[in-house]
Amino acid sequence: MAARRMDQDRRNEDFRGMLARMEREGHLRRVTKTISPRHITALCGQAPSAVLCEAVEDYDIPVVGGLYWTRDRLASALDWPVGELGSRFATAVARPLSPVLVNDAPCQEVVATGDDVDLTALPIPFMHEKDGAPYISGGVAFADDPELGPNAGCYRLMFRTRREMAIDLFTASDLRRYYTRTYERKQPLPVAIAIGVHAFEHMAAAYKAPAGLNEMEIAGGLRGEPAHLVRAKTVDVMVPANAEIVLEGELLPNGWTADEGPFGEFAGMQGDLKHNPLFRVGAITHRRNPIFYALQMPWENDWLNGPATEAACRRVLGLAGIQVAGVRATEGGCCGWSVVAAIKKRAGEGRNALAALLSLPVVKQAIVTDDDIDIYNSDEVEWAVTFRCQADKDIIILSGMKGKHVDPSVRPWDLKPGELPTTAKFGIDATIPEGIPAFRYERIVPAFRSEVRLEDYL
């Protein structure tokens, strides 16, 4: 009974509870010395754990960053085994739970509207050397559409004035679709930005959910119980009830006209100046003594997407009738662009698996191995590519596929305004080729290994 009660408590935990547990597990450290907000990102990049800066110069709001910088930290935030992130995410997505609407919420303990709205009261950090301005990097945007339904997603916001920010809607997304519909009617789009939500809600919002599925239903699946939402004070949008801070306002129908950027992108490279819509803030609500979350690029962004990428790979492989032994979204591919999958192969399924994996919009390159390969060991994967692949037969290339602006190789600067990029993708079949018996790849084993123990001779 005690174990069951502990599991229930952890499912119900909010952002603060998550931070406290990560601290107990050694994945978060408090910094009590006063620090300038301009130095927070540099500090997070050097720290071996997440960092909670309790004393931020000129502000009375602490700042936390680096929460999901590694697979281990993300596993701690979710309270999941580190090796089960993708499989657990896939299970949760298959079992969505509708959110519960509550009337009173911690995120609305303090409310500021009208002339009291002042974004400069928040310790928004300047993050990268060539950024265009301070950025809110860890906000989750919530919007609704009478036909498309509620939506949550992750979008960066660049500080401009006390009440205005530029939001990045440059690439295809659900929020861009919602905004385009109101923009064409010359009407603003009501939006709320939640800062400081639990990893369950943040990961669900980062996931590219299928059309018609509310991301907060996925958050319920991740939690194992419904997410708690509250209606915003000034816009008809529902937000996580336990969020630390919520910015309520509208995306103005100015279109893609406001300067936004540059900003350090999730691919680890400095992005370009863009033109994007404006977000005008009409209200700020927050908890008493709120905590500001500054998501650190690129790894926090990447790892939030990593389990979702692995889950998507498992899903498309399953739809292709392929038995999956493991999937890894690699760090070098920013936890999404490059994947390695181990399968229990039948004839022809190496190529079938590659076709399925490369159909995913984010995946640019894929390697498929047999299930005897440890896909978390890059040397083993390279060994399989070296000895189980013939380049003229086992590498496939697909042209004219959906690309992303943050990939310089697609030459996004050559595109017309509003034009979406395309890219080429490739896959490597590193499974044992048909017609070659498995014993040809039998690994060498030291003679009489079971008869000798090293400790007996040292």
Side-chain angles (χ1 to χ4, degrees), residues 166-458:
I167 185 169
D168 181 22
L169 294 184
F170 200 69
T171 58
S173 68
D174 288 337
L175 187 59
R176 175 173 172 141
R177 184 191 311 168
Y178 285 36
Y179 175 70
T180 300
R181 287 163 64 89
T182 59
Y183 170 70
E184 291 173 347
R185 300 194 299 266
K186 301 187 186 306
Q187 296 175 347
L189 175 67
V191 168
I193 308 294
I195 304 168
V197 300
H198 195 284
F200 290 132
E201 280 73 39
H202 210 142
M203 181 182 288
Y207 176 59
K208 305 298 185 294
L213 181 60
N214 180 357
E215 286 80 5
M216 292 303 99
E217 295 178 8
I218 295 174
L222 297 174
R223 281 187 173 275
E225 69 167 13
H228 288 188
L229 306 181
V230 66
R231 196 170 301 278
K233 289 289 188 180
T234 61
V235 293
D236 191 15
V237 176
M238 292 184 290
V239 297
N242 289 318
E244 293 292 318
I245 302 167
V246 178
L247 311 179
E248 302 179 5
E250 298 175 329
L251 298 189
L252 303 181
N254 64 295
W256 287 261
T257 59
D259 292 352
E260 187 270 319
F263 182 68
E265 300 282 3
F266 67 88
M269 295 169 282
Q270 191 70 42
D272 286 335
L273 177 69
K274 299 178 181 178
H275 291 89
N276 270 306
L278 290 174
F279 174 55
R280 180 168 294 164
V281 182
I284 299 178
T285 74
H286 60 80
R287 303 178 67 142
R288 296 186 184 92
N289 305 313
I291 301 171
F292 186 89
Y293 171 45
L295 179 146
Q296 303 299 307
M297 305 292 284
W299 293 113
E300 281 200 85
N301 183 97
D302 293 347
W303 277 118
L304 278 170
N305 285 285
T309 299
E310 294 174 358
C313 291
R314 288 177 176 273
R315 185 182 74 248
V316 296
L317 290 171
L319 290 173
I322 296 168
Q323 188 173 356
V324 182
V327 176
R328 176 190 174 196
T330 70
E331 292 86 341
C334 297
C335 306
W337 300 58
S338 176
V339 298
V340 183
I343 66 172
K344 296 182 182 295
K345 178 190 170 185
R346 295 172 296 187
E349 286 190 334
R351 280 178 169 260
N352 282 12
L354 290 175
L357 294 171
L358 295 176
S359 72
L360 294 170
V362 68
V363 176
K364 186 179 179 183
Q365 59 190 55
I367 299 174
V368 176
T369 73
D370 297 286
D371 61 343
D372 65 323
I373 299 298
D374 179 3
I375 60 175
Y376 292 95
N377 184 324
S378 58
D379 289 338
E380 285 209 24
V381 174
E382 184 177 355
W383 180 88
V385 170
T386 301
F387 295 110
R388 296 180 178 179
C389 169
Q390 284 293 305
D392 60 339
K393 298 178 182 178
D394 299 317
I395 297 179
I396 64 174
I397 298 174
L398 302 175
S399 301
M401 306 291 281
K402 184 177 180 180
K404 286 186 173 291
H405 289 85
V406 296
D407 180 358
S409 70
V410 305
R411 301 178 180 271
W413 51 86
D414 289 338
L415 299 174
K416 298 176 182 178
E419 186 178 2
L420 297 175
T422 60
T423 190
K425 301 184 176 187
F426 73 92
I428 301 176
D429 183 356
T431 60
I432 296 175
E434 279 81 5
I436 298 181
F439 78 82
R440 295 291 183 184
Y441 291 96
E442 185 176 1
R443 306 293 185 95
I444 60 175
V445 177
F448 312 112
R449 181 176 60 178
S450 62
E451 301 176 14
V452 177
R453 297 193 312 164
L454 178 63
E455 54 267 33
D456 292 338
Y457 291 87
L458 295 180

Side-chain angles (χ1 to χ4, degrees), residues 31 33-43 53 55-59 63 123-126:
V31 175
K33 292 183 178 179
T34 300
I35 185 172
S36 167
R38 64 190 295 175
H39 294 151
I40 290 174
T41 290
L43 186 69
C53 300
V56 181
E57 186 177 308
D58 298 326
Y59 294 92
V63 177
I124 305 173
F126 191 91

